[in-house]
């Protein structure tokens, strides 16, 4: 932990300062100000302004006026929520969740609360992220986002910050309904809710039911995402070798007319015969040579039927989702325990989410068990020799993912004051939380690879007509009794309905999370009085019992599925925590010290399954003059490993990768690295790096859990100022300016050893341990790489600034009414993530994760609200700074010397270099949103919201050496992929 002396000196020599979003106005005329509990502390204070941590408050009206039907979709657009995760837009299979990723530190390092009480993981079974779709909007008053570490107060996961959902209290009833649609009439969304609140002499209750739905959106519905396009280097490569269809040097390197295809798993079938790679282009036709680089056309009208397959024709930009929600929240003031208040909260949420993916890619490189070789005596084999193959199984149908996620959360609590002990103003609470997440998931149109093996092995007998005109049947008699039909893999539309039905199967998995929490807290205990005020204390105890399961389909566990291999996972842990928090006022009402106080918090955590930890936080709040507040925190934090990190039974996927033995990659390296790659690729893989070019950009990654992991350990510093000028001519505008500097470091980060890193450690460093984890035939493509969860020995580092400003202008000239201006800006200095072996990269100003997400260095939002009478108009401008072409691309194309074609060595034709660099970069980007609200009468309010007013299309972008990544040709997790969108809503209360 940083020295407290250094910390205080940093505050006094302030460079920049602490951020708060001002969502409320103080009532200066009130003598008695109600104390509130601010997220980040259990000691009450008068307002969010007095918090030592930067807290941003978002009202539910802001969410609904923006046309959103859940808080997750709003939070992921905050400037501070860079690289937030909306799983709807992950098109390679997703969980259907909406997660929030503060500072880009990961959604698992953010703690979520409801009214200050922990929300257990939802959405993944064995992970630790929360699905922000589970909270019914009709029950929410506001959402507080603390952008500071708070593990000393709340425990595990509060590393990058805390999101606290605060529930509303009201009397009466409210109906709400909305409908939204894109300018193209698709991606429709609807919401309906009913809330009822009542209050008696001793009791109160608010209950709501809600339903909302978001339709899916196909990639084929948008021009930019119709098909995956090759990055410029491949186009230049094909042009250099004069391959037909790609044009002359520099043609189509930066537009949407490059070849439309990305997969060598083609519907016709690709056959690795002794005569080379072969296919059959027409039904019933003859074998012909297959070349993966053949021009495939650039849209449906120009498709050639050759080259690589366009899987995007079956893929979706957004999955569909439907949510049903219920919540009831209430209190009862009793005569027990000196007038204790009993409270309860019951929440139930059901999410139905769907996603469609391209049909299964089957054969060599996609599966690792059965059915990977077509026998020589197969009924349809025209060559009489055995060989491996690849085929896109269009005849079986697209993969259809569906999740049915049920979340139940029950809270029972009791609270009261400690006046009977002479502790005036002190309070206590005890509560228990039961949480259960249950999600049966299904994927239709997977393939049973053992049945494929049976259907490929045939013999003469009554059945189907083979290539030689004779009758064939499956050779296995038991398989025949089960309905086995010989499988024809040759050519388009080759698989019969009966054969497809025999090998097809629907995979069924089930996720489960159960959590029990027991907590006791005492707050606002006055230990003694100092001249500047009372010394206040809070303390408490907490027990958290977490268990999770990922029950995998039996066929998948047996290795017989065409899907990614995976074994079931189950496990859990129990933590027991004790904490305390002290607030000490040092000076007040003196020169340069209207108020000066320090706060200290500490927590000790013990786990039953792994090493425990203790964390601390020290904070300072200094108001040298009435208009200026200087404040900051220095803290440590921790995050417990997830159940999946600890106990994952094993499994994998097929990520894209860069083969470090490929000639283009080797050419970019320094002389020493080139020499190492040349020698080791020859020794370990039998490859010549001067000529080798991979034909497959996806490989099987296998990951296993590690029960020896320890918790991640974080350090966080946030410091800054809040300035609210009160001098003449300015005070009336309620100007508030705030800024803060933040720095977060995470040690012992849980990471995997990584595919790319494993390849580098083998082929650069000749490390036999890593080479042993690579499966690769001599002279061929990588087949699979084994990785494991580890605690990194290096530090993840996140650093930047937040700035905000607000102002109010009353009685505007000419138009009248009032205008409120709110500006927020986040500037990232560094975001460095280090893997287990020390390989790191600063992602600020770059796109990564296969080009699907970008860390814009600057993100800002301007909200302008004009109100007059019954009318309210909002205008929101969102800014995201540009992404520069990576240094490797600049060097590869010799940009410093005017640019050169890497294949000819000559200068590019005019304009080509600019097109290439434009494809590897993104300019500054703006989005504009607007909404208009009208209060029709005391009961009825109507709102129309337009998102992306000017219908800005997502920027065209390709990763350098990324083949076709990102597959939809834009970073879909960062930019709007739908286009202009209109939502109309009405609320009626009585």
């Amino acid at each position: 932990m940083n020295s407290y002396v250094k910390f205080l000196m940093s505050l006094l020599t302030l460079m920049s300062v602490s951020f708060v979003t001002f969502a409320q106005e103080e009532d200066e005329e009130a003598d008695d100000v109600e104390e509130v509990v601010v997220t980040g502390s259990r000691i009450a204070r008068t307002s969010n302004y007095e918090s030592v941590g930067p807290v941003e408050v978002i009202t539910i009206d802001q969410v609904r006026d923006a046309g959103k039907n859940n808080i997750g979709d709003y939070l992921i657009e905050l400037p501070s929520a860079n690289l937030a995760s909306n799983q709807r837009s992950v098109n390679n299979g997703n969980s259907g969740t909406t997660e929030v990723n503060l500072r880009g530190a990961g959604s698992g390092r953010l703690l979520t609360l409801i009214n200050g009480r922990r929300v257990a993981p939802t959405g993944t079974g064995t992970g630790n992220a929360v699905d922000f779709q589970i909270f019914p909007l009709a029950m929410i008053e506001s959402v507080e986002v603390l952008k500071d570490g708070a593990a000393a107060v709340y425990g595990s996961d509060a590393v990058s910050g805390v999101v606290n959902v605060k529930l509303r209290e009201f009397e009466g009833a409210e109906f709400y309904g909305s409908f939204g649609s894109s300018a193209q009439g698709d991606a429709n969304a609807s919401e309906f809710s009913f809330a009822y609140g009542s209050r008696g002499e001793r009791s109160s209750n608010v209950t709501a039911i809600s339903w909302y739905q978001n339709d899916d959106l196909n990639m084929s519905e948008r021009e930019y995402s119709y098909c995956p396009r090759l990055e410029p280097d491949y186009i230049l490569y094909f042009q250099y070798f004069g391959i037909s269809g790609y044009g002359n040097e520099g043609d189509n390197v930066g537009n949407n007319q490059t070849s439309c295809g990305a997969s060598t798993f083609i519907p016709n079938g690709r056959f690795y015969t002794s005569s080379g790679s072969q296919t059959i282009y027409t039904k019933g036709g003859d074998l012909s040579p297959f070349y993966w680089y053949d021009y495939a056309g650039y849209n449906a009208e120009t498709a050639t039927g050759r080259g690589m397959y366009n899987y995007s024709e079956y893929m979706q930009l957004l999955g569909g989702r439907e949510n049903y929600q219920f919540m009831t929240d209430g209190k009862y003031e009793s005569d027990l325990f000196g007038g204790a208040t009993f409270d309860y909260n019951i929440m139930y949420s059901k999410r139905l989410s769907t996603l469609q993916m391209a049909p299964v890619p089957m054969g060599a490189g996609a599966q690792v068990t059965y059915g990977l070789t077509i026998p020589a005596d197969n009924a349809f084999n025209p060559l009489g020799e055995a060989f491996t193959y690849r085929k896109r199984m269009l005849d079986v149908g697209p993969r259809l993912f569906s999740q049915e996620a049920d979340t139940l959360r029950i809270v029972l609590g009791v609270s009261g004051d400690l006046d009977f002990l002479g502790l005036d103003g002190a309070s206590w609470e005890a509560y228990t939380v039961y949480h259960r997440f249950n999600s049966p998931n299904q994927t239709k149109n997977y393939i049973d690879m053992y049945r494929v093996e049976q259907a490929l092995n045939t013999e003469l007998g009554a059945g189907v007509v083979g290539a030689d005109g004779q009758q064939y049947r499956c050779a296995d008699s038991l398989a025949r009794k089960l309905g086995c039909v010989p499988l024809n893999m040759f050519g388009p539309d080759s698989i019969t309905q009966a054969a497809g039905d025999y090998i097809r199967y629907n995979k069924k998995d089930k996720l489960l999370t159960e959590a029990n929490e027991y907590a006791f807290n005492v707050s606002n205990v006055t230990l003694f009085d100092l001249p500047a005020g009372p010394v206040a204390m809070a303390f408490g105890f907490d027990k958290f019992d977490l268990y999770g399961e990922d029950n995998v389909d039996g066929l998948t566990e047996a290795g017989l599925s065409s899907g990614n291999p995976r074994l079931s996972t189950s496990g859990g842990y129990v933590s027991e925590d004790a904490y305390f928090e002290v607030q000490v006022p040092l000076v007040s009402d003196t020169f340069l010290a209207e108020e000066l106080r320090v706060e200290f918090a500490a927590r000790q955590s013990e786990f039953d399954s792994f090493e425990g930890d203790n964390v601390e936080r020290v904070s300072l709040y200094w108001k040298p003059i009435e208009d200026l507040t200087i404040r900051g925190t220095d803290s440590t934090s921790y995050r417990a490993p997830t159940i999946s990190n600890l106990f994952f039974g094993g499994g994998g996927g097929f990520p894209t990768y860069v083969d470090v033995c490929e000639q283009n990659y080797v050419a970019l390296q320094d002389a020493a690295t080139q020499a190492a790659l040349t020698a080791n690729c020859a020794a370990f893989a039998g490859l010549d790096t001067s000529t080798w070019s991979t034909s497959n950009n996806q490989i099987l990654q296998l990951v296993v859990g590690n029960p020896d992991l320890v918790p991640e350990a974080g350090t966080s510093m946030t410091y800054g100022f809040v300035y609210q000028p009160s001098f003449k001519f300015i005070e009336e505008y309620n100007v508030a300016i705030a800024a803060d500097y933040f720095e977060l470091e995470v040690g012992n980060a849980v990471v995997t050893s990584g595919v790319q890193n494993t390849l580098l450690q083998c082929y650069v460093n000749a490390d036999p341990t890593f080479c042993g984890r690579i499966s690769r035939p001599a002279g061929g493509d990588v087949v699979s790489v084994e990785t494991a969860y580890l605690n990194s020995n290096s530090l993840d580092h996140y650093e930047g600034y937040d700035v905000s400003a607000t102002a109010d202008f009353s009685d505007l000239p000419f138009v009248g009414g009032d205008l409120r201006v709110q500006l927020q800006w986040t500037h990232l200095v560094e975001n460095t993530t280090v893997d287990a072996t020390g390989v790191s990269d600063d992602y600020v100003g770059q796109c990564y994760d296969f080009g699907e997400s970008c860390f814009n260095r600057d993100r800002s939002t301007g909200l302008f609200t004009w109100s007059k009478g019954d009318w309210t108009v909002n205008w929101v401008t969102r800014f995201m700074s540009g992404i520069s072409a990576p240094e490797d691309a600049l060097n590869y194309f010799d940009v410093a010397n005017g640019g050169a074609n890497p294949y000819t060595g000559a200068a590019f034709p005019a304009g080509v270099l600019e097109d290439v660099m434009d494809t590897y970069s993104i300019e500054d980007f703006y989005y504009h949103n607007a909404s208009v609200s009208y209060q029709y009468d005391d009961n009825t309010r109507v709102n129309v919201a337009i998102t992306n007013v000017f219908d800005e299309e997502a920027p065209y972008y390709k990763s350098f050496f990324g083949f076709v990544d990102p597959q939809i040709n834009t970073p879909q997790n960062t930019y709007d992929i739908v286009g202009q969108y209109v939502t109309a809503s009405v609320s009626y209360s009585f």
Side-chain angles (χ1 to χ4, degrees):
M1 187 173 185
N2 294 326
S3 164
Y4 294 149
V5 174
K6 179 181 176 182
F7 169 64
L8 295 175
M9 290 296 293
S10 298
L11 288 171
L12 295 174
T13 57
L14 193 63
M15 296 293 293
S16 70
V17 279
S18 183
F19 168 82
V20 64
T21 296
F22 299 94
Q24 305 172 356
E25 296 182 6
E26 294 179 334
D27 186 356
E28 297 179 357
E29 299 178 359
D31 293 324
D32 296 324
V33 180
E34 179 184 2
E35 291 189 331
V36 297
V37 176
V38 176
T39 301
S41 174
R42 296 191 186 275
I43 297 175
R45 55 207 77 222
T46 57
S47 75
N48 280 325
Y49 298 140
E50 295 196 7
S51 169
V52 293
V55 178
E56 180 175 354
V57 181
I58 298 153
T59 68
I60 200 62
D61 286 340
Q62 287 177 269
V63 177
R64 281 182 159 163
D65 286 350
K68 309 297 185 183
N69 57 20
N70 68 90
I71 61 172
D73 287 354
Y74 186 91
L75 292 176
I76 63 177
E77 293 183 355
L78 295 178
S80 57
N82 215 316
L83 285 184
S85 176
N86 183 346
Q87 286 286 314
R88 286 187 72 210
S89 63
V90 177
N91 55 59
N92 196 24
N94 67 50
S95 62
T97 60
T98 299
E99 303 165 8
V100 176
N101 184 344
L102 198 62
R103 309 290 195 209
S107 57
R109 292 175 178 157
L110 177 72
L111 179 66
T112 305
L113 310 170
I114 297 178
N115 280 356
R117 296 169 177 176
R118 175 184 289 266
V119 178
T122 54
T124 58
T126 57
N128 67 337
V130 171
D131 181 6
F132 277 80
Q133 298 176 63
I134 66 174
F135 308 106
L137 290 184
M139 288 292 295
I140 299 174
E141 178 71 27
S142 63
V143 179
E144 293 181 349
V145 182
L146 171 67
K147 291 173 279 189
D148 193 13
V153 177
Y154 296 115
S156 179
D157 303 338
V159 178
S160 63
V162 179
V163 172
N164 186 19
V165 178
K166 305 192 82 169
L167 303 181
R168 66 193 294 202
E169 296 182 7
F170 78 105
E171 294 183 73
E174 177 189 80
F175 288 95
Y176 179 86
S178 70
F179 177 79
S181 184
S182 77
Q184 299 189 38
D186 50 25
N188 295 338
S190 304
E191 179 189 1
F192 174 80
S193 66
F194 172 73
Y196 178 76
S198 62
R199 179 180 295 277
E201 184 177 345
R202 291 191 169 193
S203 63
S204 63
N205 173 269
V206 177
T207 299
I209 57 172
S210 65
W211 166 87
Y212 70 86
Q213 177 175 304
N214 297 83
D215 291 348
D216 54 33
L217 179 64
N218 297 325
M219 289 188 184
S220 59
E221 299 299 321
R222 295 295 182 270
E223 177 64 28
Y224 71 86
S225 61
Y226 172 77
C227 67
R229 312 236 177 234
L230 291 167
E231 57 123 335
D233 183 57
Y234 275 87
I235 301 298
L236 294 170
Y237 177 80
F238 296 152
Q239 291 169 347
Y240 174 72
F241 284 100
I243 298 172
S244 176
Y246 290 93
N248 299 318
E249 181 184 5
D251 289 349
N252 304 322
V253 293
N255 60 33
N256 281 354
Q257 292 190 344
T258 60
S259 187
C260 182
S263 175
T264 58
F265 291 88
I266 59 175
N268 302 338
R270 180 185 183 183
F271 313 109
Y272 297 90
T273 73
S274 59
S275 302
S277 182
Q278 305 277 310
T279 190
I280 296 176
Y281 285 110
T282 59
K283 188 172 184 177
D286 297 325
L287 285 169
S288 302
F290 172 79
Y291 303 108
W292 64 275
Y293 47 76
D294 275 352
Y295 186 66
Y298 62 85
N299 59 24
E301 288 73 30
T302 61
T304 65
R306 294 178 176 268
M308 292 183 290
Y309 169 64
N310 173 23
Y311 45 66
S312 293
E313 65 177 342
Y314 285 97
M315 303 284 276
Q316 291 184 327
L317 283 170
L318 294 173
R321 64 187 182 191
E322 185 174 9
N323 284 263
Y324 300 84
Q325 298 167 327
F326 165 82
M327 182 183 283
T328 184
D329 185 77
K331 298 177 182 178
Y332 176 76
E333 298 175 6
S334 75
D335 294 325
L336 300 175
F337 312 119
T341 298
F342 291 85
D343 66 88
Y344 58 89
N345 179 273
I346 301 174
M347 179 181 72
Y348 173 74
S349 172
K350 177 184 283 290
R351 168 175 51 83
L352 305 174
S353 50
T354 61
L355 182 76
Q356 178 177 289
M357 279 183 64
V360 167
M362 197 170 81
Q367 290 83 31
V368 293
T369 54
Y370 297 94
L372 302 180
T373 300
I374 298 176
D377 59 355
N378 174 268
F380 309 101
N381 188 339
L383 295 180
E385 64 176 77
F387 45 81
T388 58
Y389 68 93
R390 286 183 175 182
K391 187 175 178 71
R392 183 69 61 166
M393 303 298 284
L394 263 65
D395 299 325
V396 175
R399 286 166 286 180
L400 304 174
F401 295 80
S402 62
Q403 298 97 20
E404 181 178 336
D406 293 293
T407 300
L408 174 66
R409 182 176 183 268
I410 301 174
V411 182
L412 299 175
V414 58
S415 60
D417 60 52
L418 295 174
D419 293 351
F420 67 94
L421 294 178
L423 300 174
D424 294 343
S427 61
W428 63 274
E429 70 165 352
Y431 64 86
T432 181
V433 181
Y434 172 73
H435 177 103
R436 179 182 173 88
F437 167 79
N438 180 62
S439 180
N441 303 327
Q442 180 173 257
T443 305
K444 295 182 178 180
N445 297 333
Y446 266 27
I447 292 173
D448 183 332
M449 295 305 296
Y450 188 67
R451 288 196 167 194
V452 170
E453 177 99 358
Q454 293 173 327
L456 288 175
N457 284 283
T458 60
E459 65 181 14
L460 290 171
V464 298
V465 178
D468 59 4
Q470 299 187 75
Q471 293 275 319
Y472 286 86
R473 63 184 184 184
C474 295
D476 189 305
S477 60
L478 178 59
R480 292 199 300 271
K481 292 180 180 179
L482 295 174
C484 182
V485 177
L487 189 60
N488 181 1
M489 304 294 284
F490 297 90
D493 303 320
S494 61
I495 299 174
T496 64
Q497 179 70 45
D501 290 343
Y502 179 69
I503 64 174
R504 179 190 294 108
Y505 96 99
N506 298 330
K507 182 171 75 76
K508 296 181 179 180
D509 302 330
K510 187 176 183 180
L511 301 173
L512 172 70
T513 303
E514 284 192 326
N516 290 278
E517 183 179 14
Y518 310 92
F520 177 76
N521 300 305
V522 176
S523 304
N524 304 316
V525 176
T526 299
L527 298 178
F528 52 86
D529 289 319
L530 293 175
V535 176
M537 180 181 182
F539 64 90
F541 308 93
D542 184 276
K543 181 177 180 179
F544 186 64
D545 187 344
L546 180 66
Y547 175 80
E549 294 180 359
D550 179 2
N551 294 300
V552 178
D553 181 276
L555 212 62
T556 301
E557 284 208 309
L560 305 179
S561 168
S562 60
N564 295 340
R566 199 165 93 252
L567 298 177
S568 291
T569 298
S570 66
Y573 59 81
V574 178
S575 65
E576 295 181 344
D577 294 20
Y579 78 93
F580 73 90
E581 182 182 359
V582 178
Q583 176 181 289
V584 182
L586 300 178
V587 183
S588 66
D589 301 323
T590 63
F591 178 67
L592 290 183
E594 291 283 330
E595 183 179 356
L596 176 63
R597 72 172 189 261
V598 295
E599 299 181 12
F600 180 78
R603 174 179 287 260
Q604 177 66 41
S605 301
E606 297 295 336
F607 298 89
D608 66 339
S609 300
F610 45 86
E611 182 181 340
D613 209 343
N614 62 283
V615 292
E616 306 87 25
R617 183 178 74 169
V618 63
S619 309
L620 181 140
Y621 180 95
W622 175 33
K623 188 182 280 288
I625 59 175
E626 186 64 30
D627 296 354
L628 178 65
T629 299
I630 297 174
R631 64 185 191 170
T633 65
D634 188 10
S635 64
T636 59
S637 59
Y638 70 97
R639 182 183 77 91
T642 68
I643 293 170
S644 181
N645 295 155
L646 294 164
F647 307 114
F648 186 32
F654 290 87
T656 57
Y657 79 110
V658 175
D659 189 344
V660 299
C661 293
E662 195 167 35
Q663 57 175 325
N664 291 347
Y665 179 88
V666 176
L668 282 176
Q669 311 308 309
D670 57 51
T673 303
Q674 286 188 22
L677 288 170
T678 298
N680 295 328
C681 289
F684 297 117
L687 297 173
D688 182 351
T689 58
S690 66
T691 59
W692 171 249
S693 179
T694 182
S695 62
N696 181 32
N697 75 320
Q698 286 185 291
I699 55 174
L700 173 63
Q701 178 187 14
L702 299 168
V703 188
V704 294
N706 181 359
D708 295 325
L709 293 172
V710 299
E712 296 180 343
T715 61
S716 176
M717 176 183 283
T718 304
Y719 60 91
F721 74 79
V722 178
Y723 181 53
Q724 298 171 273
S726 61
F727 52 85
K728 194 174 182 180
F729 305 121
I730 296 294
E731 183 178 16
E732 64 176 298
Y733 299 117
N734 296 320
V735 174
I737 301 171
D740 88 298
Y741 165 81
F742 65 87
E743 183 177 16
L744 169 64
E745 290 185 334
V746 178
N748 294 330
V750 177
V751 298
T752 68
S753 48
V755 168
Q756 207 63 43
N757 175 64
T758 300
L759 296 175
L760 289 169
Q761 294 295 328
C762 174
Y763 297 122
V764 175
N765 298 331
D767 188 318
T769 300
F770 286 92
C771 289
R773 297 174 180 171
I774 301 171
S775 173
R776 181 175 204 160
D781 286 319
V782 177
V783 176
S784 66
V785 174
E786 294 181 5
T787 62
Y789 287 113
L790 300 169
N791 286 110
S792 170
N793 293 323
S794 302
L795 293 175
D796 292 355
H797 187 90
Y798 311 91
E799 183 181 356
Y801 298 85
D802 285 320
V803 177
S804 73
T806 61
D808 295 312
F809 304 91
S810 303
D811 300 323
L812 297 179
F814 306 112
V815 297
D818 302 328
L819 177 66
R820 181 171 178 79
V821 179
Q822 302 176 72
L823 305 176
Q824 299 178 37
W825 168 48
T826 295
H827 173 78
L828 298 177
V829 174
E830 182 179 348
N831 187 303
T832 300
T833 302
V834 186
D835 71 17
T837 53
V839 176
S840 65
D841 197 1
D842 181 2
Y843 291 115
V844 175
Q846 297 186 47
C847 298
Y848 85 118
D849 194 16
F850 314 120
E852 295 177 355
S853 303
C854 301
F855 264 120
N856 309 93
R857 187 172 295 278
D858 294 284
R859 288 166 52 116
S860 63
T861 299
L863 171 59
F864 306 87
T865 303
W866 175 79
S867 57
K868 182 180 180 181
D870 296 325
W871 292 92
T872 301
V873 178
N874 289 298
W875 184 272
V876 179
T877 296
R878 296 175 55 217
F879 167 76
M880 292 177 283
S881 61
I883 302 298
S884 300
E887 190 71 24
D888 285 349
L890 300 179
N891 295 334
Y892 183 71
F893 291 102
D894 198 20
V895 173
N897 296 312
N901 188 320
Y903 300 101
T904 66
F908 282 113
V912 172
L913 181 63
E914 289 77 8
D915 288 343
V916 171
M917 290 299 108
D918 285 348
T919 303
Y920 293 133
S921 60
I922 300 174
E923 294 183 344
D924 293 347
F925 221 81
Y926 293 87
Y927 288 112
H928 302 277
N929 307 328
S931 68
V932 178
S933 299
Y934 177 64
Q935 191 72 38
Y936 179 76
D937 54 31
D938 291 341
N939 308 100
T940 308
R941 183 174 185 263
V942 179
N943 181 76
V944 176
I946 304 176
T947 303
N948 195 354
V949 172
F950 301 115
D951 201 18
E952 295 286 347
E953 185 174 270
Y956 184 71
Y957 173 80
K958 285 295 168 184
S959 294
F960 179 59
F961 278 2
F963 191 53
V964 296
D965 290 332
Q967 296 177 15
I968 70 168
N969 311 310
T970 193
Q972 70 261 34
N973 293 330
T974 302
Y975 298 93
D976 176 33
I977 57 178
V978 177
Q980 186 185 91
Y981 200 90
V982 180
T983 302
S985 65
V986 59
S987 62
Y988 179 75
S989 58
F990 57 93

